Structure formats: structure tokens, C-alpha cells
Amino acid sequence: MIPEQTAAVVMFTLLLAMVIGGVHLAFALIFIGVVFGLIYQGLAIFPMAMLQIFDVMESEILIAVPLFVFMGTILEKSGIAEKVYQSLYELFGPVRGGLAIATIVTCTIFAACTGVIAATVTTMTLLAIPSMLKRKYDKGLATGVVCAGGSLGILIPPSVMLVMYGPMANLSVAKLFAGALFPGLVLSFLYLAYILLRSWLRPKTAPAISREERPPIGLKLLRDTAFYMLPAAFLIVAVLGSILGGITSPTEASGVGAFCAMILAAFYRKLTLQYVKEAAYSTLIVTSMVFFIIFGAGIFNVVFLYLGGGALIRDALIALPFGKWFVLATMMFILFIGGFFISWQGLLYILVPIFLPVVSALGFDQLWFALLVCVNLQMSFLTPPFAYAIFFVKGASPPEITTWDIYRGVIPFVSLQALGLFICTVYPEIILWLPRVTLGGGGR
Amino acid sequence: HAADKPIKWKGQGCFGLATPLGKQTIVLWKEYIDKMSGGRMVIELHDAGEIVPPTKIYDAIRDGLLDFGMNTPAWQKGKYLAGDLFYTLPAGVLEFNDLIIWMYAGGGKELEQEMYKEELIVFPLGLTPPEEVWSKRPIKTLKDIKGLKIRAAGLSMELWEKLGAKVVLLPGGEVVPGLQRGLIDAAEYLEASQDYTLGLHEVCKYRFGPPVHMSNNIFQLLIKTKSWKELPADLKVIVENAALAATFQGYARFWMDTIEFNKKIEKYGTKTTKLSQKDQAECRKLTMEILEEKSKKDPFFAKVWKSQREFIKSYKPYYDLTKFD
Amino acid sequence: MKVLKYIDRISEWTGIASAWLIIPLMLAVVHEVVMRHFFNAPTGWGYDTCWMLYGAQFMIGGAYTLLHKAHVRIDIVYNILSPRGKLIFDAIIYAVVILFVMILLTMAGIKFAADAWSTGEKLSTTNWFFPSGPSKTIIPVALFLLSLQSLAELIRTISSITKGKE
Ligand code: NA
Ligand code: NA
């Protein structure tokens, strides 16, 4: 039998090969875990696999995931996004790049309402891309803006990514939420600055809407804008406000948020049985898919770490030359490269547990590192071939948009995300300030 | 030949190896075995949660995945209600002296083994100093506990409820944020060094003692039955006594940390109060009621509690005679 | 084939049933929030009930998710394959990677749940002490449904391969 640590390397290589080859991530993880477990641990792998599944089921904090997903899909059906985008479009339309700006601002607002990206990306693809194309926006810019802006939903709290990160690293989810707010806004700001600069340099790729189309600027426009923002503001206060303001736990807020989203949908007369049914079904598909990956990674890890695979990577990382910042950069680079091929849930549950002891050995702050990982994983939504944002945009956009338009379009935004990651690394207070003032200091 | 090859055991702790709860317990045990066995035995110790979640260590050893592990007997109470009794009792019913004598010579560790039957082998390992209770409101008498929302665990949950508090279950990481945002207004967590590190002094102005809930906590070392049976007799002695040595050496060092951090808490300006003797007696009375109620539910719980109760009764006269009041 | 239709229908209906659990889950969480914040009276059962609903939702939904081809995978290499190559590749995945492992895990799940029922084990997550049997039984049931659906997919793929030959 090959030695244990070599077997761990084989496991990891096999996983990459199977996933790139086209095996479902969840089933590849479970398969490799069970096969290597049988070889090296015997029948004990079976009760262990059961415990991994049961541990995911028993998690109080992970209850927030399906509820945030459900809330997002209900909002998608409720038509609130249309109203917000419409009013912002009228507000920013007269500026060069105005539609792209309206898109980013709408996405940022919705990122603070929902915990996933699917709803925002799909809705904005249907709304914003046709309106930008009609005004002769560059196809790359139009799709890139929706991919990048829509992905903010999983960084700006509430976020299912942060909900999953918390219990894994023994960090408070409420603190993670607080820590993610400013990094999310930094990215949003970088996107806006880029759009302004680009449309100023190359006005033809992002023209202002024509004089005839412009609504009269006045009290009515402002009043309408404010009116359409109200439902979103209501949700942000109900969910994010109650978590950061110290009233509810993230799980409680997810239930209340889903409930409020249904009330809003009812208010707009969109709460039909058909819509609720569709929302419940698509929530089921998303959550089952995600949780099979999570406990699959658990089964894989039981064996991989048992064989000493974690220690192998850990020691290799710590032994790297050029000091601790180089180690950090290496970990970030591994996540970035992994993001091309593996979904973020896989990266979060396979790589991050291995990185965590390295992070504490090097004396980095765990909360800060967590948010660097989450900013980093933003890029994975946009890096092909495995890129959720691109899947959703391609799935919902008009046929004239080719996959290459999107690939070309996301490049500047991935660069901006890397810049945002760098800024958060150099200025840790962007992450650490808000959790400290709202939720207290101390170890974690 | 075979004797030259060291025996390798693989296992996991339930607390971070770098924290005092890991360092002063299972890490120390590993170090003693390394030295005492002269390299004949190799302990591969994994960090908390690395192979299995901390709450699943018991199953992992019983099912044969790990050779050993450390956790608290209280986590098995879903299956063995009496698990709580081997961990700690509320209201000082078993304090350091009583606990140690009962555990090591008064039948405690034999009863603990009896509880788990042949599923695995158990030894006491890891002892922590008594705990304080943190609160955002001043607690001077038991009346102040009425309506308090407190984070608690174990047997003391029922005592808090009898005292009129609302008990909220929160994982360790949510304690400070929970206090900050008013989800709870009090918490029992650990002793001074861990509480300070977690930042409880930053969110609670007050703390009080004596521990209504927990005196000393004693944890357990679990060993896979098959691995234990295959061990040569001399190594068995080493494994068991390394646990004994680690328990006491770790306890003493842990206390020194507690003393240092208590000074820091006092310097920080935390207001510390103590319950009156009358209130303490009331807590003890309620705890006795809880123990009797639980005994009615589970025969093995009744058996263990009877052993403890009889031990305390026979131990008290000479103890009271010889101690300076 | 008739049996395929039956299996698909089982996955569809169990999926729909588990999808609707999101509504009682949401209501249970909201109820707990209201009881805790407005009446200062959190229930003893709320915590465990919530996670049991959520656990049943995503576990039972696994077969439905497979039926609707929604478990994520990358298709760059897969797309290079010929249509026949794709079918053979899928057949291997359904037979070896999914069906074989899921049957093993279903058996493990039966033992896991049977132990919980026979020992009368209680949940130790809260002071409610509800039996752990019901929630542990969800695991073998869900894995059995998933085995069944992967068997259906395997039969479907193999019949496409043989049809292609004719
Ligand atoms: Na969000
Ligand atoms: Na990617």
C-alpha cells in the first residue's frame, strides 16, 4: 500500500482530474472520500460519513442558507429590482456610462438585501443588458458590469458565503457580516470609478441617453426614486440592520427577511401560488446542490486530513521563503487559480480548513483573513470556465451576446477585484473597524 | 523485528491545541507519552475539528476511526444522561477536593467506564479552574437573576431556569457578539484567562461568584477498545499515568494563568460581586432537587448520583473537622 | 421504459414535498423570533425543529436535484467528447461514482438510524431531549432516493447508447 501522505496527494490530484474531467463536484468528493477511506480506514469510513452528513444537518447557523436563497428568489419575482433600476436609470441616464452606473448601484442595493447572486445577476441581465445594448453600449462592458455587480451579493452582507465560513472557522457570523460591508463597498466604488473613467476616455462605448429620452429633472424624479427605494430600504433595515444593530442572529434574520420579502411581494401583487412554488423549487435545487458539496467535502476531508494531507500542505506553506506575506500571497494565489475550476463552496470547504492553522501560526487575524478569502472568491464568480456569474448572464441574455463577449468583459472587473483584495490587505481597518465598533473586540 | 517498530496512535482533541484547554491537557499528555515511552509509542495528535467535528469524537473512537481523543462527558448525554455528572456539578456540590477523591479513589472512574461499557476505554484527563459568571447587569442577590437571559450549558441550565433566568444556547464564537447586541445579558463561559481572551470583560461590566453553575470541570480521554487491548502492559501504565500527570500538572499551570488574567480583569475595572452564604445555600438546595428529579428519569444517573451523594456524606465530617473555617 | 417513469415520478414528488418545507421552516424561525423578542419566551422545541426541517429539505431534495441535472459540474473537457463518448462517460459516472457509493452509504445510513432508534438516543443539541431517531432516519431515506434516481439515469444512458448502435 502506498504511504499515507502520498495517498493524500493522490486523492487531491484525482479530485482535480475528476472535476476538470466533468464529474459533479459533490459526487467526486464523496466517491474519493469513500474509496480512500475504505482502503485506509476500513469500514469506519461509513459511520464517519454519516456523522459528516448529520453534522451539516444539525447546524443551526446553516439554516440561514436556504432561507436567504428563498428570500432572493421571492425578491426576483416581486419586481422590486425593476422599480429601483428604472428610477436610477432615469437619474443617471444623462451621464456617460450612466446605465452602467445605475446597474452597479442597483446591484449594490440588492446585495444588501439578498444573500446570493443568482437572483440579482439574472434580474439585471434581463433588465440592464437589453437597455444598455439598445443604447450601443459595448457588449463586454454591459455584461462585465452585470457579472461583477451581481456577484457583490455574496460579499456584501447578508451572504450565504459568510454564513458557511463562520461555523467552519469558529468565527461569529454577525462579525463576518460586519467585516464584509466595507470591502463590498470598496469593490462597488472601484467599479463605479472604472466606469466613469472608461466612459470618459471612450465615450462611444458607453453613451449617455439621448436628450429626447431624458425625463425632466425635478422634484417628481427625486420623489419617484425615493418611493421605489423604500421597499429595498425596508428589507435592508429588517435584515442587515437587525443583525448589525444587535437585535437578531443571522438565522433569525434570514427567516424574518424571507417573510418580509413575501409581504413585499404581496404588496406588489406578485405573491401568486405559481411564483411561490417556483421560488420554493429553485431554492431546493440550490440548497441541495450546495449542501451535497459541503458534506461531500466533509467526507473527503475526514480521509484527506486523516492521511496527513493537511499537515503536508501546511508544512509546505510555512516552509516557504520570503516571510509571512509571501505565504499569504501564495494562499491567495492558490484560491485564485482554484477559482477557475472549482466552485467557491468547494474551495471554501477543501482549502480554507487547511489554511486556517497556517494563518494562526503566522499570527494573522482570523477575521481579516476570512474577509480576504471572501473578496478573493468574488473573482471565482467571474473566472471561466467555472464561473457562476457568467453562467447566469449567458443563460438569461439575448442571443447576440456570445460567451467571448462576456469573457472579454469580465477581465477589467477581475483586475478591479484583485485591486480591491490588495487594498483590503494593505488597509486591514477597512475590514476590522465596523465589527469592532458594532460587536465588540476580543479574541474572535 | 516487530518490537522495533513504534506503536502509532492517531487521535484528536476537542479544543484548539494552541489554547490553554488544549495545551494544558491533551498536548501535555502527548508530550509525557513521547518522553516516558522512549519513542516506543508515537502519538499523532490532530487539532480540534481537523478530522471529525469536536462533538463527534466519541463516535469516531467507538466506530474505530481514531485511536484516542479528548472531549467532555457532558457531550454524550444524549445517549448517557449521566455524562453530566462526570464533568461538573452546579452550585459547588462537587468541588476540587471532593471531585478528585471521588473520581480517582471513590469509584468515579470505574463508574465512568461502566457507563460506556466496552464501547471504548475512558480515563479522566484535563482539569480546569473554577469559573466566573459575567453579566451586563449587577448581580448582588438571587433576585437579580430573575429575567436574566443567560448563555449556559450542561446541568446548570436547569438551575438557571429554576432561578428564573432564560437560558439561551449559543456557540462559543457567538457569546461576545450576543452580549454586545443584547441577545443575552449574561454568560457562563470559562475561567478568567479564557474569558479575558474572548473579550467578555469588554462587553460585561459585572461578574460574580461563586460559580452557581460549575466548579472545576474534568474532561475525559477516550481510547479505542481494540487499540487499548493490543497495547503491551507497560505502555498501558504509561498511557494511564501520563493522563494523571497531565491532569495535575496542567491544572496547576492553568491556575497560574487564571491568577494572572484575574489581575488584568480587576485592573480593567470590572465590578466583581459575590453571592451571600444564604443565596449559595439556596442554589445548592435547588441543585439537589434537580439531581433527584433527573435520577427518577434514568437509572444509571441515579446510580452515579447515589455514589456521589454517599461519598460527600462520608467525606464531610473529617473534612470539616480538619479545615480552617 | 415504465420503471424509469416511476422512479422519475418518485424523485419529482419527494422533491416537491421537501421543497415546500421551506414555508414551515420560515414560519418556525419567525415564530421563534417573535416569541423571543416580543414575549421573552423562547420555546424549548424551536431550535431543534428548525434544523430538522432544514435537514430534511436539502437531503430529500438530492434526488430531485439529480433528476433536474442541477448538481454542478464543469463541461470543458466533457464538451470535447463525441455524443457517444458523452453517454459512455455519463454511464460510468452514474454507475461507479454515484450509484455504487450511494448504495454503500444507504446501508451505512440504515445502520446509523437503526442504532439511534434501538438505543433510544436523544438529541443533545438542546434541553428538549427529543429522540434522534427521526432526524437520523432522513439520511438513509434520502440516500436511497438518490440511489434510485441514479439507477434511473444509468438505465436511461445505457439505453441511449444501445439505441445509438442500432
Ligand atoms: Na448580500
Ligand atoms: Na471561476
Side-chain angles (χ1 to χ4, degrees):
Chain A
M1 212 155 46
I2 45 175
E4 292 194 343
Q5 285 202 330
T6 318
V9 176
V10 174
M11 279 182 82
F12 206 81
T13 318
L14 188 61
L15 177 70
L16 275 180
M18 284 175 81
V19 167
I20 293 173
V23 181
H24 316 78
L25 177 59
F27 297 118
L29 286 164
I30 299 171
F31 174 78
I32 296 173
V34 168
V35 169
F36 279 75
L38 270 174
I39 298 172
Y40 285 89
Q41 302 167 332
L43 294 177
I45 183 62
F46 291 122
M48 283 311 105
M50 294 305 112
L51 289 177
Q52 289 296 330
I53 298 175
F54 198 59
D55 196 55
V56 175
M57 289 171 64
E58 266 187 322
S59 166
E60 192 263 348
I61 194 83
L62 290 177
I63 296 173
V65 173
L67 289 171
F68 276 136
V69 174
F70 184 65
M71 177 187 170
T73 39
I74 288 283
L75 282 183
E76 184 186 338
K77 315 261 182 229
S78 72
I80 297 169
E82 278 95 331
K83 299 243 165 34
V84 172
Y85 178 70
Q86 190 62 33
S87 57
L88 287 174
Y89 151 89
E90 288 178 357
L91 200 66
F92 293 116
V95 193
R96 277 179 197 168
L99 301 186
I101 290 173
T103 306
I104 295 290
V105 175
T106 309
C107 286
T108 308
I109 291 170
F110 267 79
C113 296
T114 69
V116 279
I117 73 152
T120 321
V121 176
T122 312
T123 312
M124 293 315 283
T125 304
L126 294 172
L127 280 176
I129 291 183
S131 74
M132 283 191 269
L133 292 184
K134 201 171 122 197
R135 269 119 203 147
K136 303 279 177 292
Y137 268 54
D138 175 65
K139 285 179 192 164
L141 179 65
T143 50
V145 160
V146 173
C147 285
S151 303
L152 285 173
I154 204 132
L155 180 61
I156 293 178
S159 143
V160 295
M161 188 190 277
L162 300 171
V163 168
M164 293 181 198
Y165 198 110
M168 188 186 62
N170 201 12
L171 287 167
S172 151
V173 173
K175 276 200 175 183
L176 285 167
F177 276 18
L181 186 61
F182 284 114
L185 293 178
V186 164
L187 285 189
S188 173
F189 177 78
L190 287 174
Y191 300 156
L192 290 175
Y194 165 76
I195 292 164
L196 282 174
L197 186 71
R198 178 184 159 138
S199 47
W200 180 64
L201 290 173
R202 296 163 64 190
K204 280 198 174 140
T205 62
I209 55 175
S210 66
R211 211 167 280 278
E212 301 82 66
E213 275 187 278
R214 286 177 204 172
I217 294 181
L219 214 58
K220 186 178 175 302
L221 178 62
L222 285 175
R223 205 179 54 212
D224 285 354
T225 309
F227 181 70
Y228 290 132
M229 292 288 178
L230 269 180
F234 166 66
L235 273 180
I236 293 174
V237 170
V239 177
L240 203 49
S242 66
I243 297 172
L244 298 185
I247 301 163
T248 59
S249 73
T251 303
E252 291 177 328
S254 68
V256 173
F259 194 70
C260 291
M262 288 186 87
I263 292 176
L264 280 182
F267 183 74
Y268 287 101
R269 303 188 182 286
K270 292 284 171 60
L271 193 72
T272 62
L273 187 65
Q274 184 60 25
Y275 282 159
V276 177
K277 195 171 96 183
E278 284 171 17
Y281 292 2
S282 62
T283 301
L284 178 71
I285 281 183
V286 174
T287 39
S288 272
M289 183 269 282
V290 166
F291 286 112
F292 271 70
I293 292 174
I294 293 179
F295 75 69
I299 294 172
F300 178 89
N301 272 342
V302 163
V303 185
F304 182 70
L305 296 172
Y306 177 90
L307 295 175
L312 197 71
I313 298 179
R314 200 152 66 218
D315 296 346
L317 280 171
I318 291 177
L320 282 175
F322 317 124
K324 65 177 192 174
W325 293 99
F326 185 73
V327 179
L328 182 76
T330 307
M331 290 191 284
M332 289 298 144
F333 186 71
I334 294 172
L335 285 173
F336 171 67
I337 296 299
F340 281 79
F341 304 104
I342 297 181
S343 78
W344 62 269
Q345 301 95 343
L347 293 173
L348 198 63
Y349 278 87
I350 300 165
L351 288 176
V352 175
I354 298 172
F355 289 167
L356 291 179
V358 179
V359 174
S360 38
L362 297 177
F364 289 121
D365 186 277
Q366 290 282 4
L367 184 66
W368 173 71
F369 179 77
L371 270 311
L372 293 187
V373 169
C374 293
V375 173
N376 191 322
L377 291 181
Q378 284 280 289
M379 293 189 272
S380 78
F381 288 93
L382 272 60
T383 50
F386 197 98
Y388 278 116
I390 297 179
F391 294 160
F392 293 138
V393 168
K394 187 75 191 76
S397 59
E400 60 200 280
I401 301 277
T402 67
T403 308
W404 286 108
D405 287 328
I406 311 178
Y407 284 5
R408 183 168 56 82
V410 297
I411 295 171
F413 289 96
V414 173
S415 317
L416 290 170
Q417 290 168 336
L419 176 63
L421 178 61
F422 181 75
I423 293 173
C424 292
T425 312
V426 180
Y427 301 103
E429 280 296 285
I430 295 174
I431 293 167
L432 297 174
W433 179 76
L434 189 62
R436 193 174 56 239
V437 300
T438 58
L439 298 165
R444 23 177 183 253
Chain B
H1 55 99
D4 295 327
K5 216 176 146 206
I7 292 169
K8 197 171 136 191
W9 273 13
K10 209 183 271 243
Q12 185 190 302
C14 67
F15 301 115
L17 298 183
T19 69
L21 282 166
K23 232 169 34 195
Q24 308 298 8
T25 59
I26 197 161
V27 174
L28 213 50
W29 174 75
K30 171 197 151 62
E31 286 169 8
Y32 284 142
I33 292 193
D34 287 348
K35 286 177 195 151
M36 287 172 172
S37 73
R40 285 173 55 219
M41 198 165 175
V42 177
I43 299 293
E44 187 183 313
L45 177 58
H46 288 262
D47 213 336
E50 194 176 316
I51 298 179
V52 292
T55 49
K56 307 288 187 278
I57 286 176
Y58 173 83
D59 309 74
I61 297 163
R62 184 199 56 196
D63 296 332
L65 181 74
L66 300 176
D67 296 301
F68 71 90
M70 186 185 108
N71 77 354
T72 142
W75 287 351
Q76 276 72 246
K77 72 172 169 191
K79 204 166 174 203
Y80 301 116
L81 195 66
D84 274 332
L85 294 174
F86 296 99
Y87 177 48
T88 183
L89 291 180
V93 171
L94 271 188
E95 282 176 319
F96 178 76
N97 246 325
D98 343 11
L99 175 74
I100 292 308
I101 302 167
W102 176 76
M103 199 68 170
Y104 283 94
K109 64 183 163 69
E110 289 77 13
L111 278 169
E112 196 170 10
Q113 184 64 64
E114 191 185 325
M115 177 170 79
Y116 296 138
K117 302 172 205 94
E118 287 276 288
E119 284 182 339
L120 35 68
I121 305 297
V122 63
F123 296 112
L125 167 64
L127 188 58
T128 57
E131 303 175 356
E132 61 214 325
V133 193
W134 292 87
S135 170
K136 290 171 85 171
R137 311 203 300 238
I139 305 290
K140 289 182 185 131
T141 69
L142 290 184
K143 282 194 196 80
D144 300 324
I145 291 175
K146 209 158 242 146
L148 201 69
K149 276 183 283 182
I150 186 166
R151 182 263 183 198
L155 266 180
S156 59
M157 291 170 76
E158 263 127 290
L159 176 56
W160 287 115
E161 276 167 4
K162 275 193 190 266
L163 290 169
K166 287 253 177 287
V167 179
V168 181
L169 276 162
L170 282 182
E174 298 289 347
V175 173
V176 168
L179 283 162
Q180 180 85 8
R181 58 198 160 88
L183 191 64
I184 49 175
D185 20 53
E188 48 153 328
Y189 188 64
L190 285 162
E191 47 64 62
S193 76
Q194 299 261 334
D195 289 351
Y196 186 91
T197 314
L198 196 71
L200 281 166
H201 61 293
E202 288 172 16
V203 286
C204 292
K205 260 177 139 167
Y206 307 93
R207 65 171 177 164
F208 70 95
V212 174
H213 54 117
M214 288 170 179
S215 314
N216 306 88
N217 301 338
I218 191 156
F219 300 95
Q220 59 182 4
L221 172 68
L222 300 172
I223 297 169
K224 180 170 146 186
T225 311
K226 184 165 171 282
S227 309
W228 176 254
K229 284 189 173 153
E230 286 169 3
L231 210 59
D234 58 335
L235 285 180
K236 278 185 180 159
V237 177
I238 288 179
V239 166
E240 182 175 353
N241 287 287
L244 186 71
T247 300
F248 290 96
Q249 184 61 70
Y251 180 67
R253 287 192 196 149
F254 215 137
W255 248 111
M256 296 311 282
D257 272 357
T258 307
I259 295 167
E260 278 315 301
F261 278 90
N262 184 49
K263 283 181 196 156
K264 287 188 193 183
I265 291 169
E266 281 172 354
K267 209 172 142 208
Y268 187 84
T270 302
K271 293 191 178 64
T272 306
T273 52
K274 198 165 169 177
L275 293 176
S276 70
Q277 289 201 334
K278 188 173 143 273
D279 283 349
Q280 292 178 29
E282 173 69 13
C283 288
R284 175 146 327 176
K285 201 188 112 231
L286 292 172
T287 301
M288 294 299 189
E289 285 172 26
I290 294 168
L291 291 167
E292 295 305 329
E293 284 162 19
K294 292 238 167 195
S295 293
K296 286 195 190 100
K297 281 189 197 150
D298 183 274
F300 193 74
F301 189 100
K303 183 174 177 180
V304 178
W305 169 232
K306 184 168 169 259
S307 160
Q308 290 178 331
R309 200 181 45 210
E310 279 170 8
F311 165 75
I312 295 166
K313 217 170 116 195
S314 56
Y315 156 83
K316 275 280 175 237
Y318 191 73
Y319 175 75
D320 287 342
L321 172 71
T322 52
K323 108 174 157 97
F324 274 85
D325 296 314
Chain C
M1 258 189 281
K2 224 173 188 175
V3 64
L4 290 185
K5 219 189 251 166
Y6 284 130
I7 297 179
D8 285 355
R9 210 174 287 164
I10 292 173
S11 297
E12 186 72 27
W13 282 106
T14 52
I16 288 172
S18 64
W20 281 108
L21 288 179
I22 193 80
I23 303 291
L25 171 62
M26 179 187 77
L27 294 176
V29 172
V30 171
H31 174 260
E32 199 60 21
V33 172
V34 172
M35 291 311 284
R36 174 176 294 175
H37 292 278
F38 297 102
F39 299 100
N40 198 16
T43 65
W45 50 268
Y47 184 100
D48 284 324
T49 306
C50 288
W51 72 250
M52 282 191 263
L53 285 168
Y54 133 89
Q57 189 245 16
F58 80 82
M59 281 305 290
I60 303 286
Y64 179 88
T65 310
L66 187 67
L67 172 69
H68 289 267
K69 307 263 182 296
H71 287 287
V72 291
R73 59 195 291 195
I74 317 181
D75 51 9
I76 25 166
V77 178
Y78 183 80
N79 279 344
I80 300 171
L81 300 173
S82 67
R84 203 181 145 72
K86 278 184 184 147
L87 287 172
I88 293 171
F89 185 74
D90 279 342
I92 296 172
I93 293 180
Y94 286 126
V96 182
V97 181
I98 309 183
L99 182 59
F100 166 66
V101 174
M102 285 308 148
I103 290 175
L104 292 178
L105 290 182
T106 304
M107 295 187 323
I110 292 171
K111 186 176 182 310
F112 188 65
D115 283 352
W117 285 105
S118 67
T119 60
E121 185 190 52
K122 306 281 191 292
L123 294 171
S124 47
T125 34
T126 66
N127 250 13
W128 190 32
F129 287 107
F130 189 75
S132 68
S135 52
K136 287 190 171 177
T137 306
I138 293 169
I139 297 178
V141 170
L143 295 178
F144 174 73
L145 290 171
L146 191 55
S147 309
L148 214 54
Q149 189 56 43
S150 51
L151 177 68
E153 299 298 333
L154 177 64
I155 297 171
R156 217 189 316 269
T157 317
I158 291 175
S159 75
S160 306
I161 296 173
T162 47
K163 258 184 216 148
K165 243 181 196 168
E166 281 156 20

Short mmCIF file of all heavy atoms in Angstrom, two decimals, chain A residues 110-116 152-160, ligand 1:
data_model
loop_
_atom_site.label_atom_id
_atom_site.label_comp_id
_atom_site.label_asym_id
_atom_site.label_seq_id
_atom_site.Cartn_x
_atom_site.Cartn_y
_atom_site.Cartn_z
N PHE A 110 -29.18 45.75 -3.93
CA PHE A 110 -29.74 44.41 -3.81
C PHE A 110 -28.82 43.44 -3.09
O PHE A 110 -29.27 42.49 -2.46
CB PHE A 110 -30.22 43.89 -5.16
CG PHE A 110 -31.64 44.22 -5.28
CD1 PHE A 110 -32.02 45.49 -5.64
CD2 PHE A 110 -32.59 43.31 -4.89
CE1 PHE A 110 -33.33 45.85 -5.63
CE2 PHE A 110 -33.92 43.66 -4.89
CZ PHE A 110 -34.30 44.94 -5.26
N ALA A 111 -27.52 43.73 -3.20
CA ALA A 111 -26.56 42.89 -2.47
C ALA A 111 -26.82 42.99 -0.98
O ALA A 111 -26.62 42.03 -0.24
CB ALA A 111 -25.14 43.32 -2.80
N ALA A 112 -27.26 44.16 -0.53
CA ALA A 112 -27.53 44.34 0.89
C ALA A 112 -28.89 43.76 1.29
O ALA A 112 -29.22 43.70 2.47
CB ALA A 112 -27.46 45.82 1.25
N CYS A 113 -29.69 43.35 0.30
CA CYS A 113 -30.99 42.73 0.61
C CYS A 113 -30.92 41.21 0.57
O CYS A 113 -31.61 40.54 1.31
CB CYS A 113 -32.05 43.16 -0.39
SG CYS A 113 -32.43 44.89 -0.38
N THR A 114 -30.13 40.65 -0.35
CA THR A 114 -30.15 39.20 -0.53
C THR A 114 -28.79 38.59 -0.24
O THR A 114 -27.79 39.29 -0.20
CB THR A 114 -30.54 38.81 -1.97
OG1 THR A 114 -29.48 39.19 -2.83
CG2 THR A 114 -31.81 39.48 -2.40
N GLY A 115 -28.77 37.29 -0.05
CA GLY A 115 -27.53 36.63 0.34
C GLY A 115 -26.89 35.81 -0.75
O GLY A 115 -25.89 35.16 -0.53
N VAL A 116 -27.48 35.83 -1.95
CA VAL A 116 -26.94 35.02 -3.04
C VAL A 116 -26.81 35.89 -4.28
O VAL A 116 -27.23 37.04 -4.29
CB VAL A 116 -27.87 33.83 -3.35
CG1 VAL A 116 -27.65 32.70 -2.39
CG2 VAL A 116 -29.31 34.27 -3.37
N LEU A 152 -21.56 40.96 -6.21
CA LEU A 152 -21.45 41.64 -4.91
C LEU A 152 -22.40 41.05 -3.89
O LEU A 152 -22.17 41.13 -2.68
CB LEU A 152 -21.76 43.13 -5.07
CG LEU A 152 -20.69 44.00 -5.73
CD1 LEU A 152 -21.24 45.39 -5.97
CD2 LEU A 152 -19.45 44.06 -4.85
N GLY A 153 -23.48 40.43 -4.36
CA GLY A 153 -24.49 39.88 -3.46
C GLY A 153 -23.94 38.89 -2.46
O GLY A 153 -24.49 38.71 -1.37
N ILE A 154 -22.84 38.25 -2.81
CA ILE A 154 -22.33 37.22 -1.90
C ILE A 154 -21.22 37.76 -1.01
O ILE A 154 -20.73 37.08 -0.12
CB ILE A 154 -21.86 35.98 -2.68
CG1 ILE A 154 -21.91 34.75 -1.78
CG2 ILE A 154 -20.50 36.18 -3.25
CD1 ILE A 154 -22.58 33.59 -2.41
N LEU A 155 -20.84 39.04 -1.23
CA LEU A 155 -19.82 39.64 -0.35
C LEU A 155 -20.49 40.60 0.62
O LEU A 155 -20.34 40.49 1.84
CB LEU A 155 -18.76 40.36 -1.19
CG LEU A 155 -17.65 41.02 -0.38
CD1 LEU A 155 -16.88 39.98 0.42
CD2 LEU A 155 -16.70 41.77 -1.29
N ILE A 156 -21.25 41.54 0.05
CA ILE A 156 -21.96 42.50 0.90
C ILE A 156 -22.98 41.71 1.73
O ILE A 156 -23.74 40.92 1.18
CB ILE A 156 -22.65 43.57 0.04
CG1 ILE A 156 -21.58 44.43 -0.66
CG2 ILE A 156 -23.58 44.43 0.87
CD1 ILE A 156 -22.13 45.48 -1.58
N PRO A 157 -22.99 41.90 3.05
CA PRO A 157 -23.93 41.11 3.87
C PRO A 157 -25.37 41.51 3.61
O PRO A 157 -25.60 42.64 3.23
CB PRO A 157 -23.53 41.49 5.30
CG PRO A 157 -22.89 42.83 5.17
CD PRO A 157 -22.23 42.86 3.82
N PRO A 158 -26.34 40.62 3.82
CA PRO A 158 -26.19 39.22 4.23
C PRO A 158 -25.60 38.37 3.10
O PRO A 158 -25.76 38.71 1.94
CB PRO A 158 -27.63 38.80 4.50
CG PRO A 158 -28.46 39.67 3.64
CD PRO A 158 -27.75 40.99 3.61
N SER A 159 -24.94 37.29 3.47
CA SER A 159 -24.28 36.47 2.46
C SER A 159 -24.21 35.04 2.91
O SER A 159 -23.80 34.76 4.04
CB SER A 159 -22.87 37.03 2.23
OG SER A 159 -21.96 35.98 2.01
N VAL A 160 -24.59 34.11 2.05
CA VAL A 160 -24.51 32.70 2.44
C VAL A 160 -23.06 32.25 2.55
O VAL A 160 -22.74 31.33 3.30
CB VAL A 160 -25.28 31.77 1.48
CG1 VAL A 160 -26.77 32.06 1.52
CG2 VAL A 160 -24.75 31.84 0.08
NA NA D 1 -25.65 40.11 0.15
#
